[in-house]
Amino acid sequence: MKQLDTLRETMRRDEVFSFVKPDANIQPITDRGVILSLEGVNKSFDGFKAINDLNMAIDAGELRCIIGPNGAGKTTMMDIITGKTVPDTGRVRFGQTMNLLGMSEPEIAQAGIGRKFQKPTVFEALTVAENLELAMQGDKSVWSTFRAKLSGSQQDYLGEVLETIGLQDGAKGRSGSLSHGQKQWLEIGMLLMQRPHVLLVDEPAAGMTHQEMDKTTELLTSLAGDHTVVVVEHDMDFVRSIAQRVTVLHQGHVLAEGSMDDVQQDQRVIEVYLGE
Amino acid sequence: MFRMLRGDYGGQILIALVVLACAIVPYLNLYVPPSSPFHLSTFTVTLLGKYLTYALLALSVDLVWGYLGILSLGHGAFFALGGYAMGMYLMHQIGDRGVYGNPDLPDFMVFLNWDQIPWFWQGFDMFWFAMIMVMFVPGVLAYVFGWLAFRSRVTGVYLSIITQALTYALLLAFFRNEMGFGGNNGLTDFKDILGFNLQSDETRIGLFVASGIALILGYLSCRAIVASRLGRVAVAIRDSEDRVRFIGYRVDKVKLAIFTFSAVLAGIAGALYVPQVGIINPGEFSPLNSIELVVWVAVGGRGTLYGAALGAILVNYAKTYLTGALPEVWLFALGGLFVFVTLYMPKGIVGLMRRRQKEIGA
């Protein structure tokens, strides 16, 4: 019977075939209100509950820090949002309507969620400019990638991003020979090229010198507002220097949420961080 | 059209050499009298033509291995399939000149007591149809295989092993007489191609030049891919597949497109190879062949395209020489060569030359 219904639906003469229609899931994102929400998300690996009834909402334009001890589920959360991991239960929404579950990584990336990894992963065989060019927003199907050329405005934007991340001098150099900090910035630059609505940034300050860290702080703060930035970080000083709102994760669950000061006074947070 | 060769000196030299060969070899063969020391025998011309088709095959492997990071140990299968498609056309061309004199059936079918030609042999009497099949059959196989493999994210060694199994399975299948491809003996005893006698010097020269042109066009098209943004995406996939997904590219589709294109190139190489050597049999599917051609690419230098072509020609020259002079040594030499290249020349001959150049420059 179900097949018959499908067939009827397919043969309807007052409608075009469903695959011709634009995807109803792709909707413009409102620039106000909640941009990313996780509701009742659970995920366990071989019985270990990495994410345990996680509920969280992030507003558009916000700069949110997510902290938590090792194994709190920070990276798993990012994996779920970007489509790398599928949760057992729960809902993940982007904007008001878009359901991120069931979308592949490239689809989520195209929809406007960019991710920077913990370990800087730039394409080392390519030059800095080529790295940025690959990340650039646009039609990423095979044929149009083959035919792609940089237009004038794209060239300008690429130049802008190069300046933002401070790599304009080394644009033609191989990205493999950049320093650790420079690679981190290049990755953030690649995120910017995607023009995402939401940037997920995993440990941007790891392994950075103090000067580099200050510069990263500056970069991330300047990005918030136009973009929604979610930062996962271990380094408390760094978090204090950038965060407006902080979410503390513990055992896959939100333990506390609020300003840095509130969170630091929270008895449970102190317990988790300082030990019983 | 030659925009993609800008800055690619190795490619420019390669193409210049092939063009030169296509001009000089016919002259030396046809117009210089056999008594002259400069005369090139038809045997040599055919040998060179064979090398050119190997070079094209090596290009196709380098495209997927050097740039996309897919180590295919089954590219010989696409080469052989292209060869079989050409062989089927050539079998039709024999007509009633076979041993049994049957105008409709190739000899091996008469021998097997078949009374009509199988359905999949239909149409191969037309050259254009056979040429489409030369590209279509390997292309479809690569597409279906790739679609299954890349969608389930099979990579690395596992993928290599599956490609190896693919070519081995085809080897076993083509050995069977019931398959209708001549079984163990394959297809041979060809007479004409497009009405030209395959034994004549002129036809041999024609095939040589056709191989040269195919190599040049193959090089240019590979180069066009590699020099485009798609080529850079391919390199990015080779180095960090996950990351490419997160910036919004459909990795499986990119791989599938390039892999299929590469299989088509290998098929064309096979189709040019068969009329020159005069036989195609299931031996071409043997896993050893596919591994050997990976060695050519490794020796030449992967990820450079022209290096692969160079490697194919050099290793095959060595093979021709060694299998003639010291036949029992060849396999050891091949194995030793692979070990040596992997250990001491990871970037092949091209890498060695580049390093030498840098040292001189510095």
Side-chain angles (χ1 to χ4, degrees):
Chain A
M1 276 335 275
K2 193 156 174 266
Q3 283 95 331
L4 202 63
D5 283 340
T6 323
L7 185 69
R8 275 206 195 106
E9 199 55 35
T10 319
M11 301 309 280
R12 275 175 66 172
R13 301 186 64 178
D14 55 336
E15 288 264 347
V16 290
F17 294 127
S18 54
F19 58 81
V20 185
K21 282 190 216 165
D23 200 339
N25 208 2
I26 306 294
Q27 291 231 332
I29 284 121
T30 49
D31 41 346
R32 237 179 286 282
V34 175
I35 195 167
L36 192 64
S37 65
L38 294 95
E39 293 164 43
V41 176
N42 279 288
K43 175 74 195 175
S44 50
F45 295 106
D46 296 330
F48 170 71
K49 268 190 139 359
I51 297 287
N52 184 10
D53 190 27
L54 180 66
N55 292 288
M56 189 162 43
I58 291 158
D59 289 336
E62 193 181 350
L63 172 56
R64 172 76 66 98
C65 270
I66 294 176
I67 58 173
N70 280 328
K74 294 167 301 200
T75 303
T76 312
M77 184 201 73
M78 290 237 181
D79 284 347
I80 288 175
I81 296 172
T82 51
K84 195 178 179 194
T85 304
V86 181
D88 303 331
T89 57
R91 278 195 294 201
V92 183
R93 284 166 192 281
F94 183 34
Q96 306 294 339
T97 48
M98 191 189 279
N99 178 14
L100 289 182
L101 300 183
M103 287 169 71
S104 68
E105 295 108 315
E107 282 168 349
I108 292 174
Q110 286 283 34
I113 296 185
R115 177 174 186 183
K116 194 201 91 55
F117 285 80
Q118 193 168 342
K119 211 175 104 225
T121 39
V122 297
F123 305 120
E124 306 211 337
L126 303 176
T127 68
V128 171
E130 283 171 344
N131 265 284
L132 293 176
E133 186 194 337
L134 283 197
M136 186 159 47
Q137 186 196 34
D139 185 353
K140 288 179 177 170
S141 68
V142 174
W143 183 249
S144 38
T145 310
F146 177 56
R147 306 290 308 163
K149 276 200 198 76
L150 280 178
S151 71
S153 61
Q154 287 173 328
Q155 198 91 52
D156 292 344
Y157 185 59
L158 207 152
E160 253 173 62
V161 170
L162 274 173
E163 214 154 302
T164 312
I165 58 175
L167 291 175
Q168 62 272 40
D169 295 332
K172 292 244 185 295
R174 267 189 35 155
S175 65
S177 48
L178 294 178
S179 77
H180 180 81
Q182 286 172 320
K183 278 183 192 164
Q184 298 270 30
W185 292 328
L186 175 56
E187 250 207 296
I188 295 175
M190 286 164 74
L191 274 186
L192 292 179
M193 291 304 290
Q194 281 176 261
R195 296 187 190 249
H197 298 283
V198 177
L199 286 90
L200 302 177
V201 188
D202 203 347
E203 303 215 4
M208 279 193 172
T209 63
H210 266 289
Q211 289 94 323
E212 285 176 332
M213 216 189 274
D214 290 343
K215 209 171 151 190
T216 310
T217 310
E218 210 174 290
L219 189 57
L220 289 175
T221 347
S222 71
L223 290 176
D226 288 344
H227 308 80
T228 308
V229 184
V230 180
V231 181
V232 165
E233 186 52 76
H234 257 317
D235 191 313
M236 283 313 202
D237 291 335
F238 183 72
V239 172
R240 195 170 294 117
S241 65
I242 62 169
Q244 303 162 350
R245 266 169 85 82
V246 178
T247 300
V248 186
L249 281 190
H250 179 54
Q251 296 179 342
H253 193 78
V254 175
L255 189 68
E257 203 169 279
S259 73
M260 189 67 189
D261 291 332
D262 292 346
V263 165
Q264 273 183 317
Q265 321 258 289
D266 193 301
Q267 204 52 44
R268 290 167 305 174
V269 176
I270 296 171
E271 255 171 45
V272 165
Y273 262 95
L274 301 177
E276 288 79 358
Chain B
M1 178 186 177
F2 291 92
R3 195 164 30 86
M4 52 267 205
L5 286 179
R6 202 185 296 146
D8 176 28
Y9 300 115
Q12 290 168 7
I13 294 171
L14 175 78
I15 288 180
L17 286 178
V18 175
V19 169
L20 203 65
C22 285
I24 291 178
V25 167
Y27 177 77
L28 292 183
N29 175 252
L30 296 176
Y31 300 110
V32 174
S35 52
S36 153
F38 294 107
H39 176 76
L40 262 184
S41 71
T42 306
F43 173 77
T44 316
V45 172
T46 303
L47 201 62
L48 291 175
K50 200 174 87 173
Y51 292 168
L52 290 183
T53 64
Y54 282 153
L56 182 58
L57 176 60
L59 274 188
S60 76
V61 171
D62 194 24
L63 186 64
V64 292
W65 185 32
Y67 290 91
L68 202 50
I70 299 173
L71 173 56
S72 166
L73 293 178
H75 250 58
F78 305 125
F79 180 77
L81 284 173
Y84 264 99
M86 178 59 122
M88 285 159 82
Y89 163 77
L90 296 173
M91 287 307 266
H92 272 295
Q93 288 274 297
I94 297 172
D96 59 3
R97 285 170 293 174
V99 180
Y100 295 109
N102 189 319
D104 302 320
L105 293 184
D107 276 350
F108 75 91
M109 292 187 194
V110 180
F111 183 76
L112 291 170
N113 284 324
W114 292 10
D115 46 15
Q116 58 174 353
I117 204 151
W119 61 269
F120 50 83
W121 276 73
Q122 300 293 339
F124 278 91
D125 49 336
M126 293 171 283
F127 185 73
W128 63 268
F129 181 80
M131 288 309 101
I132 289 174
M133 286 300 137
V134 157
M135 297 185 265
F136 186 73
V137 173
V140 166
L141 178 69
Y143 187 87
V144 172
F145 175 85
W147 189 78
L148 292 168
F150 302 142
R151 202 182 46 126
S152 6
R153 300 192 183 170
V154 180
T155 51
V157 177
Y158 302 101
L159 189 73
S160 303
I161 292 172
I162 300 177
T163 54
Q164 181 100 92
L166 171 80
T167 191
Y168 192 63
L170 284 169
L171 167 83
L172 296 179
F174 274 72
F175 259 127
R176 290 159 42 92
N177 280 326
E178 296 83 350
M179 278 286 282
F181 294 104
N184 190 8
N185 297 316
L187 311 174
T188 185
D189 200 20
F190 308 133
K191 311 275 190 221
D192 295 339
I193 180 167
L194 287 169
F196 297 102
N197 182 2
L198 270 175
Q199 307 309 322
S200 77
D201 289 355
E202 287 80 6
T203 314
R204 292 296 173 113
I205 286 291
L207 286 168
F208 172 82
V209 173
S211 305
I213 292 172
L215 178 59
I216 292 174
L217 292 180
Y219 187 87
L220 289 177
S221 51
C222 288
R223 188 67 209 162
I225 292 178
V226 166
S228 75
R229 192 184 293 170
L230 184 64
R232 293 194 283 278
V233 173
V235 170
I237 289 175
R238 180 188 73 191
D239 294 343
S240 177
E241 195 175 320
D242 272 338
R243 188 74 183 85
V244 179
R245 260 188 215 111
F246 285 114
I247 56 176
Y249 290 96
R250 295 284 306 268
V251 168
D252 50 343
K253 292 201 172 165
V254 174
K255 281 184 169 179
L256 191 55
I258 297 180
F259 189 69
T260 307
F261 177 75
S262 152
V264 170
L265 271 191
I268 295 172
L272 285 162
Y273 169 83
V274 166
Q276 302 193 63
V277 297
I279 184 168
I280 174 82
N281 62 26
E284 291 298 333
F285 284 109
S286 94
L288 184 67
N289 280 22
S290 297
I291 294 172
E292 205 177 304
L293 79 97
V294 166
V295 178
W296 306 341
V297 178
V299 168
R302 75 183 173 119
T304 57
L305 294 178
Y306 59 87
L310 177 77
I313 293 169
L314 283 182
V315 176
N316 277 293
Y317 178 74
K319 182 180 182 176
T320 308
Y321 175 76
L322 275 179
T323 47
L326 303 154
E328 57 283 348
V329 174
W330 166 241
L331 275 182
F332 293 101
L334 182 71
L337 189 64
F338 193 41
V339 173
F340 180 80
V341 167
T342 316
L343 287 181
Y344 300 105
M345 288 167 35
K347 290 188 176 156
I349 296 173
V350 170
L352 215 62
M353 290 193 305
R354 279 191 187 158
R355 206 165 63 195
R356 181 64 53 81
Q357 231 167 25
K358 246 181 221 161
E359 275 166 16
I360 292 171

